[in-house]
Amino acid sequence: MTDITPFLKELLTAPGLSGYEDPAAEIISAKWKPLVHEISRGRLGSLHGLQPGVGKSPRPSVLVAAHMDAIGLMITGCTDGFLRLTQVGGVDPRVLPGTLVTVYATGAGGRQPIPGVVVQPQSHLLPPDIGTGPVPLEYLFMDTGLPARSVADLVQVGDVVSYAQPPVELSGETISGHTLDNRASVAALTVCLEELQFRPHVWDVWAAATTQEEIGMIGVTGSTFELHPTIAIAVDVTFAKGPGANNWQTSPLGKGPTLCMGPNIHPALHKAMNDLADKLEIPYGLEYSPRHTGTDGAAMQVVAEGIPTLVVGIPLRYMHTPVEVVAIKDIQRAGRLLAEFIAGLTADFVEKITWDD
Amino acid sequence: MKQLIQKLTETFSPSGYESAICEVIRKEIKPLADKIHVDALGNLIAREGSKSRSGLKIMLAGHMDEIGLMATHIDGNGFIRFTGLGGIRLAALTGGRVRFMNGTPGVISSDRLTDLTKVPTLEQCFIDVGATSKEDCPVRVGDVCAFERPFLDLGNRMIAKSMDDRIGCAVMIEALRALKTSPHELYFVFTTQEEVGLRGATTSAFGVDPDLGLSVDVTGTGDTPKGSKMEVSLGKGPAIKVKDGGMLADPRIVDWMIRTAEKAKIPYQREVLEGGTTDARAIQMARAGVPAGCLSVPTRYVHHPSEMVDTADVENSVKLLVALLRAPVNL
Amino acid sequence: MPTIGNAQLRLLEKLCNACSVSGDEGEVRRIVLEELKGHAGDVRVDSLGNVLVTRTGSGPTTSLRAGKKRLKVMVSAHMDEVGLMLVADDGDGLFRFEIVGGIDLRQLPGKAVLVGKDHLPGVIGACPIHLTTAEERKKIIPLDTLRIDIGPGGGKAKLGDRATFATRFQRNGPVIIAKALDDRLGVVVLLELVKNAPPNIDLLAAFTVQEEIGLRGAKVAAYAFNPDLAVVVDATPANDLPSWDGEDNNSYNTKLGLGPTIYIADSVTFSDPRLVRHISEAARTENIPFQFRQPGSGGTDAGAIHKARAGIPSVSVSVPHRYSHTAASIARLDDWKNTLALLHAALRGLTPELLTPDRA
């Protein structure tokens, strides 16, 4: 298995906010080109790569989706050279003060990245009821340090802002970076495509790096409708156990991907993947989702006439902060499990899926 | 155009019950469109033109419905309890006047409040139509009403209820009137039930199956005393939406709209709206996905009975929409 | 003509005592499939577990869309109930659980439950009153302190298992007391409609899943069926209790004993006015008592169905019942009988002309 870390690190340094995924899409497209037969963009910008199967036509198809968009911020205005912000996706403002960021300006200076910091004004400049408490996003600013007139010229309302934290390898073969949600899963999907290159598989495989999941699973809905797969698999990060997160919704870091179960997942598909992981001795955890999973899988399951769906999770600490952490091994295990599952799909697999009543 | 705006805003059609406004709009566009029909959810769909080689199938959406109230209970003395249709501003209820679809006028008041600094809840309010008993009350459970305020022309500004989104409908109608040629197959969709969840746009977008979608709706402003911190103001031109509370406009569409405005020398503003969304969100999610954006008319006091727009902004919105539709689209 | 008699009561008992929490509807699905045997040739289970039945009519063909087909009418009832899912094992037979669907936390302590496919008995206890303070008793017992107790050394329950209230169905004269009347009452009505399908329509019956967690089954069933119109049969709350201060109860939603409930609007759907008129006229013609549901809150599968594809005219008709989503709901036999009678009359009277004028 090739080392996925260099690709992951390259991906983690590129911006790609929801709705503005092109920089990420370019890197992923370059990586997938040698691995797939054809590459295209969906109508809402999702990247679609096809590895055709060897089975007799018409072949069933599996769509594996990992969203490539990232949360971030957007400029809403400028006060005396200090840029006002709104969130794109779910951002806890408490992790923002002091965070290094980059605004992708589109003003008079043309398109250019400008570095800066998200700053918290001194208390006397804030409403009195905030005191020393957490400061809501509407009172934080991005400061580029540039003179006010330059900022007003260079930066426009609507320009996107991404975290500027570079990826860092931590001990124990873990990596920290700001868009591991969900670039870790894109890496896992890439591992899967690499493994499948040399394994004949009956089914067509569509790999999709989807857009705007953080806004409401928007890209995947269109991709699923367009590609109309026989079964759907979503790969997304899930909550790893760590400081402040230790309850039933969390899984251990570094002990394998998670297999989700609940109303969003077809029980026969879950059982098939579960049994396979046992057989291959790939470690995994079980994740229980009493309602839908809040991932691309939630949207895929109810497109058109409904699609049997699986959700695979990669445990991640500190989700939606600039310093998310995953275990590289979990990425590789997820990729390998996906590849083995897909390679093992027989032509009549779906007919054999019944409701185990 | 002001007469049209007055006619549209003084019609009563809350979400779910758009037949009155549908008829008014249908009469306006009948001579202008190739084909008009009403679909299963009451959306009024007008098709105009056909797709040339350089053209696209474009769907425009402006919603016909307005916020309103629905009667839930008539008590023994003829007072009417109600629920809201769409985002009702509680502070704007008491003392307001309403008109039911059957023509009955009424006034909104509330239970006696012990704390006069508090705004009454929806459950504490009622409508008085002057009845004396349940039997002689001309309103029944399920009947709907909208707020009543006359249209006011201040010259450079206009005030009315339901500028959201009759102003969008007016812009679409005037654009259709002014458009001489277009390489595109155009669908002017006057949608229903936007205020309660973009329902009409959801189904009409599936039915029309466009290549590109544009909603024409109102947006807020940041130019009132101690108002929200928003860069959009009255009088600075139509707003080109980048983001709102429910969607990100396709950046290619934002660029296309800006380039078109600049080329046609039409003033415009870049818009990020923190709360609220438009039909564009629903169009975006149709079928395999539709690149979508929104042309916004800046409006003060949205969802209050007196919403205010700038006359030049409205005229420029029509100009911009015409400029967008009359030429090929290069995304 | 369909009717509610002893056979239907026995079926309702079997269905109410069955456990089918949203996403895990197997037990009710099995009963439904068994009941359908011999009554409909075209029965399939889709990828979410919906049971989709097509009963083609035999009457003359006229159509509101060009092409000589009968009116395609989708009628649906949901198979799932609200319940619980085991999510963490504390050991010693104690399990932490999550709620599936909407259940008021105050309805949980001190209840008996059934766990998993084997209906393993368990209890949700609470701290003895002797060991609580007056201050504590002023607050709700939080979900994360509640546990399902299947007894020490139990061992047969596993994470992911669903649990329901353990209430056994009871009938006492005109009254039914059971859990999951929402929507087992609707399921029996739909089964009877399928068995007695009127010949003037193509009846597309959907026994849906996952209604309680977002109308998910209905969304895909409506897309697959693509009907001309839809009628949803659900069970709706009757909040017709007296107010603490003697004042009128203005928010009763529906009332027990006044008959089937026709929806004008809830929080997710405006019923198509043409269908509301048609059904209320059928009630008046056939002398069937009915009521209109108070508009505003709640929702049914119609919320998903009417927005499918290019839009589907829809309406809901429900059986009123008290104490929805709790251990013990109460309904009246007559309301249930009249719901079935009204729906059958309404379906019999459907013609394509109903939808030719624009929606208004």
Side-chain angles (χ1 to χ4, degrees):
Chain A
M1 189 181 298
T2 56
D3 186 5
I4 200 68
T5 312
F7 167 63
L8 183 55
K9 283 168 87 166
E10 191 194 356
L11 198 49
L12 291 176
T13 19
L17 262 75
S18 305
Y20 295 80
E21 296 92 349
D22 279 351
E26 269 161 39
I27 296 173
I28 302 169
S29 184
K31 183 75 174 170
W32 285 8
K33 261 227 166 76
L35 303 174
V36 299
H37 195 248
E38 55 176 86
I39 258 200
S40 57
R41 298 288 290 269
R43 296 179 70 191
L44 294 177
S46 297
L47 189 65
H48 300 158
L50 171 65
Q51 262 193 20
V54 301
K56 222 159 44 102
S57 203
R59 279 182 297 278
S61 65
V62 52
L63 168 59
V64 189
H67 74 86
M68 61 172 164
D69 61 308
I71 57 165
L73 304 165
M74 182 181 270
I75 304 297
T76 59
C78 189
T79 306
D80 301 339
F82 294 90
L83 293 162
R84 299 197 306 273
L85 303 161
T86 189
Q87 59 180 6
V88 176
V91 176
D92 183 342
R94 295 175 303 170
V95 311
L96 289 177
T99 300
L100 290 159
V101 292
T102 308
V103 58
Y104 292 86
T106 62
R111 290 178 189 272
Q112 57 176 297
I114 302 178
V117 191
V118 178
V119 300
Q120 172 181 284
Q122 293 73 28
S123 298
H124 69 276
L125 300 169
L126 293 170
D129 58 347
I130 290 179
T132 51
V135 182
L137 185 56
E138 66 181 295
Y139 302 112
L140 298 175
F141 293 109
M142 174 185 176
D143 188 357
T144 59
L146 294 168
R149 193 143 10 126
S150 307
V151 180
D153 278 343
L154 295 173
V155 182
Q156 300 201 91
V157 168
D159 285 347
V160 295
V161 177
S162 69
Y163 293 133
Q165 171 68 34
V168 170
E169 289 181 69
L170 303 177
S171 79
E173 290 183 336
T174 58
I175 186 167
S176 175
H178 61 77
T179 42
L180 281 164
D181 176 4
N182 192 33
R183 311 273 169 89
S185 304
V186 174
L189 180 46
T190 309
V191 168
C192 169
L193 288 173
E194 284 176 340
E195 296 272 302
L196 280 178
Q197 272 190 100
F198 308 112
R199 308 275 304 273
H201 45 88
V202 172
W203 287 42
D204 282 345
V205 181
W206 284 100
T210 59
T211 57
Q212 298 193 51
E213 185 274 348
E214 300 285 5
I215 307 298
M217 304 120 192
I218 296 186
V220 76
T221 308
S223 296
T224 310
F225 189 96
E226 180 182 337
L227 302 173
H228 207 219
T230 317
I231 69 176
I233 305 179
V235 191
D236 208 330
V237 295
T238 186
F239 309 109
K241 290 197 189 298
N246 260 302
N247 70 0
W248 62 275
Q249 289 170 297
T250 59
S251 306
L253 188 71
K255 300 281 196 311
T258 63
L259 304 182
C260 208
M261 52 182 292
N264 200 170
I265 282 81
H266 195 298
L269 289 189
H270 170 85
K271 183 166 193 308
M273 192 173 262
N274 195 329
D275 290 348
L276 180 65
D278 285 337
K279 181 169 146 214
L280 298 171
E281 293 183 340
I282 297 177
Y284 64 90
L286 287 174
E287 216 189 313
Y288 304 95
S289 212
R291 297 163 285 275
H292 69 71
T293 55
T295 67
D296 273 347
M300 294 163 99
Q301 189 193 31
V302 292
V303 167
E305 313 87 359
I307 303 178
T309 301
L310 265 176
V311 176
V312 174
I314 298 179
L316 175 147
R317 282 186 183 158
Y318 321 125
M319 200 180 290
H320 283 201
T321 70
V323 291
E324 297 171 328
V325 177
V326 295
I328 301 283
K329 270 217 188 72
D330 287 344
I331 294 176
Q332 287 163 337
R333 285 159 172 154
R336 186 169 157 237
L337 181 56
L338 286 167
E340 295 284 348
F341 180 80
I342 292 170
L345 289 171
T346 55
D348 61 352
F349 177 76
V350 169
E351 282 105 71
K352 291 196 298 188
I353 298 180
T354 51
W355 281 91
D356 184 21
D357 294 341
Chain B
M1 186 174 177
K2 287 186 176 177
Q3 274 184 324
L4 173 64
I5 297 170
Q6 175 164 14
K7 201 183 334 182
L8 295 178
T9 54
E10 289 183 346
T11 306
F12 293 93
S13 282
S15 298
Y17 300 86
E18 298 90 350
S19 48
I21 188 68
C22 185
E23 267 325 291
V24 171
I25 296 179
R26 195 205 278 260
K27 277 208 188 71
E28 289 292 325
I29 62 175
K30 197 143 192 273
L32 306 171
D34 292 338
K35 178 172 182 293
I36 298 178
H37 78 280
V38 173
D39 76 0
L41 254 66
N43 294 300
L44 180 63
I45 302 173
R47 193 195 72 213
E48 168 62 18
S50 51
K51 205 156 93 159
S52 74
R53 224 167 345 124
S54 60
L56 296 174
K57 196 200 285 192
I58 299 182
M59 171 172 165
L60 300 158
H63 67 90
M64 298 192 280
D65 61 310
E66 62 190 290
I67 55 171
L69 308 173
M70 181 184 265
T72 56
H73 178 74
I74 324 290
D75 77 9
N77 293 315
F79 293 100
I80 302 161
R81 298 282 174 179
F82 57 84
T83 188
L85 301 174
I88 304 296
R89 301 279 181 267
L90 292 177
L93 282 180
T94 334
R97 294 184 187 179
V98 295
R99 188 165 301 259
F100 284 86
M101 295 286 281
N102 66 6
T104 307
V107 61
I108 305 173
S109 191
S110 76
D111 303 343
R112 191 172 140 269
L113 297 170
T114 45
D115 183 350
L116 287 173
T117 63
K118 292 253 188 320
V119 172
T121 62
L122 214 60
E123 292 73 34
Q124 289 172 314
C125 292
F126 58 82
I127 297 169
D128 185 351
V129 297
T132 57
S133 69
K134 190 173 181 165
E135 289 67 40
D136 78 7
C137 181
V139 172
R140 279 186 303 213
V141 170
D143 284 353
V144 298
C145 65
F147 300 103
E148 170 136 49
R149 279 288 200 293
F151 169 88
L152 284 178
D153 179 3
L154 303 181
N156 66 334
R157 304 269 152 103
M158 293 178 275
I159 302 175
K161 61 106 176 136
S162 69
M163 283 297 190
D164 177 9
D165 181 35
R166 305 289 162 75
I167 199 70
C169 295
V171 166
M172 280 168 58
I173 294 169
E174 289 303 312
L176 179 54
R177 214 191 298 279
L179 195 60
K180 298 285 177 279
T181 62
S182 170
H184 309 294
E185 184 182 348
L186 297 170
Y187 287 82
F188 287 78
V189 184
F190 299 90
T191 61
T192 58
Q193 302 182 30
E194 187 274 350
E195 297 286 6
V196 290
L198 322 176
R199 297 179 199 167
T202 303
T203 56
S204 55
F206 186 97
V208 169
D209 190 11
D211 300 317
L212 186 158
L214 216 55
S215 62
V216 186
D217 209 330
V218 303
T219 189
T221 65
D223 62 353
T224 54
K226 297 213 171 127
S228 43
K229 294 206 192 104
M230 189 186 173
E231 290 299 305
V232 174
S233 306
L234 285 195
K236 299 233 173 85
I240 295 174
K241 192 189 290 283
V242 177
K243 175 185 189 294
D244 65 26
M247 61 99 71
L248 291 153
D250 192 308
R252 298 168 294 178
I253 291 191
V254 175
D255 283 344
W256 163 57
M257 292 173 77
I258 290 176
R259 274 184 279 117
T260 306
E262 286 177 346
K263 185 155 166 226
K265 298 208 178 15
I266 301 168
Y268 69 93
Q269 315 182 56
R270 296 171 62 102
E271 174 206 336
V272 173
L273 178 69
E274 297 247 24
T277 191
T278 73
D279 278 340
R281 155 110 190 189
I283 301 174
Q284 193 182 51
M285 304 277 281
R287 295 181 184 254
V290 179
C294 176
L295 194 163
S296 307
V297 180
T299 306
R300 288 179 185 165
Y301 324 125
V302 175
H303 282 202
H304 287 82
S306 299
E307 297 170 328
M308 180 189 281
V309 298
D310 179 276
T311 308
D313 286 347
V314 176
E315 287 162 355
N316 281 320
S317 299
V318 175
K319 284 206 185 98
L320 181 51
L321 191 53
V322 171
L324 288 167
L325 299 178
R326 71 168 171 237
V329 178
N330 286 319
L331 284 188
Chain C
M1 284 290 279
T3 184
I4 299 291
N6 285 328
Q8 289 71 30
L9 271 163
R10 278 196 300 276
L11 178 56
L12 182 65
E13 177 169 6
K14 200 174 4 165
L15 285 167
C16 287
N17 290 342
C19 299
S20 283
V21 174
S22 307
D24 190 39
E25 295 90 351
E27 197 177 343
V28 169
R29 185 169 37 244
R30 263 198 307 284
I31 298 171
V32 166
L33 288 169
E34 190 57 45
E35 281 296 314
L36 287 168
K37 280 205 179 114
H39 290 281
D42 185 349
V43 178
R44 62 185 185 84
V45 178
D46 76 4
S47 48
L48 266 74
N50 293 313
V51 175
L52 303 177
V53 185
T54 303
R55 269 209 67 166
T56 322
S58 55
T61 56
T62 47
S63 177
L64 63 84
R65 298 181 193 163
K68 306 218 178 283
K69 295 212 167 66
R70 264 171 298 274
L71 208 50
K72 295 196 304 180
V73 179
M74 174 174 177
V75 186
S76 71
H78 69 89
M79 297 191 288
D80 59 311
E81 65 193 282
V82 298
L84 315 168
M85 178 195 264
L86 273 54
V87 295
D89 187 345
D90 281 4
D92 220 25
L94 296 169
F95 290 86
R96 166 80 205 270
F97 60 90
E98 277 292 304
I99 301 182
V100 182
I103 303 183
D104 185 327
L105 272 187
R106 296 168 295 179
Q107 297 284 345
L108 291 175
K111 301 294 181 296
V113 296
L114 300 173
V115 179
K117 292 197 177 2
D118 296 332
H119 292 200
L120 203 63
V123 297
I124 302 174
C127 193
I129 184 173
H130 324 62
L131 303 179
T132 62
T133 63
E135 269 314 296
E136 276 171 348
R137 290 198 298 277
K138 288 194 188 145
K139 300 191 224 114
I140 297 182
I141 305 175
L143 179 61
D144 57 17
T145 63
L146 294 173
R147 295 291 183 271
I148 290 177
D149 186 348
I150 58 165
K156 289 230 212 84
K158 44 184 210 313
L159 298 189
D161 278 352
R162 313 310 200 274
T164 67
F165 294 113
T167 316
R168 302 292 294 170
F169 176 95
Q170 290 180 69
R171 180 250 175 121
N172 181 21
V175 171
I176 297 166
I177 304 177
K179 68 152 179 78
L181 286 178
D182 174 13
D183 180 28
R184 306 292 152 77
L185 286 167
V187 169
V188 176
V189 167
L190 186 52
L191 281 166
E192 290 303 307
L193 289 173
V194 171
K195 293 173 185 174
N196 299 275
N200 55 308
I201 58 169
D202 287 344
L203 178 62
L204 308 170
F207 296 86
T208 61
V209 298
Q210 301 191 30
E211 187 272 350
E212 299 286 5
I213 53 172
L215 320 179
R216 293 174 67 83
K219 180 178 197 275
V220 303
Y223 189 95
F225 271 152
N226 193 14
D228 296 318
L229 65 98
V231 181
V232 172
V233 192
D234 209 327
T236 191
N239 298 328
D240 54 348
L241 276 67
S243 179
W244 66 278
D245 55 1
E247 295 284 329
D248 274 352
N249 174 0
N250 295 335
S251 303
Y252 46 86
N253 196 49
T254 63
K255 295 184 174 164
L256 227 56
L258 292 190
T261 319
I262 305 176
Y263 289 48
I264 296 167
D266 57 28
S267 73
V268 293
T269 314
F270 288 105
S271 298
D272 190 302
R274 300 167 290 188
L275 294 177
V276 173
R277 275 195 300 274
H278 172 76
I279 298 183
S280 44
E281 269 156 33
R284 292 187 190 106
T285 311
E286 302 286 324
N287 262 321
I288 301 170
F290 75 97
Q291 52 185 316
F292 285 114
R293 182 183 183 275
Q294 275 192 307
S297 63
T300 70
D301 273 341
I305 296 171
H306 84 290
K307 293 195 295 192
R309 292 189 182 251
I312 296 167
S314 305
V315 67
S316 302
V317 177
S318 293
V319 185
H321 73 301
R322 289 181 187 150
Y323 322 123
S324 198
H325 293 196
T326 70
S329 304
I330 295 184
R332 297 258 177 85
L333 213 47
D334 277 347
D335 289 335
W336 184 36
K337 280 184 186 169
N338 283 324
T339 305
L340 174 59
L342 174 54
L343 284 168
H344 196 264
L347 292 178
R348 275 197 321 267
L350 281 174
T351 65
E353 286 68 48
L354 176 67
L355 295 178
T356 37
D358 287 341
R359 174 195 172 106

